[in-house]
Amino acid sequence: MPLVVGTDEEAALRGVERLLRFPGPKGITQEIYTTPVKSAEPLRMLASGFVTGDAGIGHIALTSTRPTQIRSYFNTVFDARLTDYIDETMSGLKVKIRFLRVNERHHTIAVGNARRLPIDPIRTRVQHLNIQAATLDDVAQSYQRVHEMGFGSLTVGQHTNDRELSYYARTPSGFDWEVGWNPIVVDEATWEPSTHQGISIWGHLPVGQTIIDKLAQFGTGARSLARPENAVPALSGTGIADD
Ligand SMILES: [Fe+2]
């Protein structure tokens, strides 16, 4: 595996002691670091705080034409375990999502694919990133600010599997940013994977989506047929058995 040691300058820029870099799925470079630089200065921000600690920052969600290889990659590199599955129908496509955990956080990685179709309807390599807000007030107040600025993507809703209450905003790069609150945590000793029907119990409705956006998404899916996806074969093998 091509492993690159980050330079001192790169470490300083990221506020860490040392870092290593190696390839990840969909061309997303992975970096792991030791010893972040900490400051005693309180953060100057509008939110009261984020829930990180031992469970790390929230989660990343990807779409893939090779989901079992991506699952195998995160299992090989980060000892990721299957938490559960969601089956959902989106824009007429049957979609399956795998939720993988590396600690008590319900999931740190989610991998979605269109069932039995080798297409990827998402233009960006990351479909969304999630951070966990400390309080419900932080979610409500940031939702209002984001919507006033016109960056809304999905309204407030609640997910079926981790029960997180959240909304999604659209970043300038085109991927979504999910701000959530109060997801369940996993007890490693007793957890059993299951399959949930549908992504959300309520809410998470598209904000201002037009027929042009929908057509653009079908175009992206069609183009992905001609563009093979790099799943890092050296770290993924032929994939992991997937129910
Ligand atoms: Fe999410």
Side-chain angles (χ1 to χ4, degrees), residues 38-113:
K38 288 185 176 172
S39 165
E41 293 244 323
L43 280 171
R44 285 192 296 165
M45 59 181 184
L46 295 170
S48 58
F50 298 100
V51 180
T52 55
D54 287 346
I57 197 172
H59 60 250
I60 178 173
L62 314 169
T63 51
S64 176
T65 55
R66 297 176 170 181
T68 64
Q69 275 100 329
I70 294 198
R71 197 177 144 193
S72 180
Y73 173 93
F74 283 109
N75 177 257
T76 303
V77 180
F78 295 105
D79 187 29
R81 281 90 67 194
L82 176 76
T83 299
D84 48 31
Y85 298 109
I86 285 180
D87 290 335
E88 173 72 282
T89 303
M90 293 160 114
S91 310
L93 284 179
K94 281 198 185 309
V95 173
K96 176 172 175 164
I97 313 171
R98 297 140 195 83
F99 294 82
L100 312 177
R101 70 180 181 281
V102 292
N103 50 45
E104 71 170 13
R105 189 178 286 290
H106 175 277
H107 61 283
T108 292
I109 305 122
V111 186
N113 78 304

Side-chain angles (χ1 to χ4, degrees), residues 106-167:
H106 175 277
H107 61 283
T108 292
I109 305 122
V111 186
N113 78 304
R115 285 193 107 145
R116 289 185 269 280
L117 268 179
I119 64 164
D120 185 345
I122 303 298
R123 180 176 62 79
T124 51
R125 292 187 290 180
V126 171
Q127 195 274 325
H128 75 263
L129 285 176
N130 164 286
I131 49 169
Q132 186 183 338
T135 69
L136 186 55
D137 277 355
D138 287 340
V139 175
Q141 287 167 21
S142 63
Y143 181 74
Q144 190 172 358
R145 290 194 297 274
V146 157
H147 278 258
E148 281 168 7
M149 289 187 284
F151 293 120
S153 178
L154 299 179
T155 61
V156 173
Q158 189 175 19
H159 286 301
T160 51
N161 58 348
D162 67 359
R163 303 266 154 172
E164 190 172 51
L165 192 136
S166 69
Y167 70 86

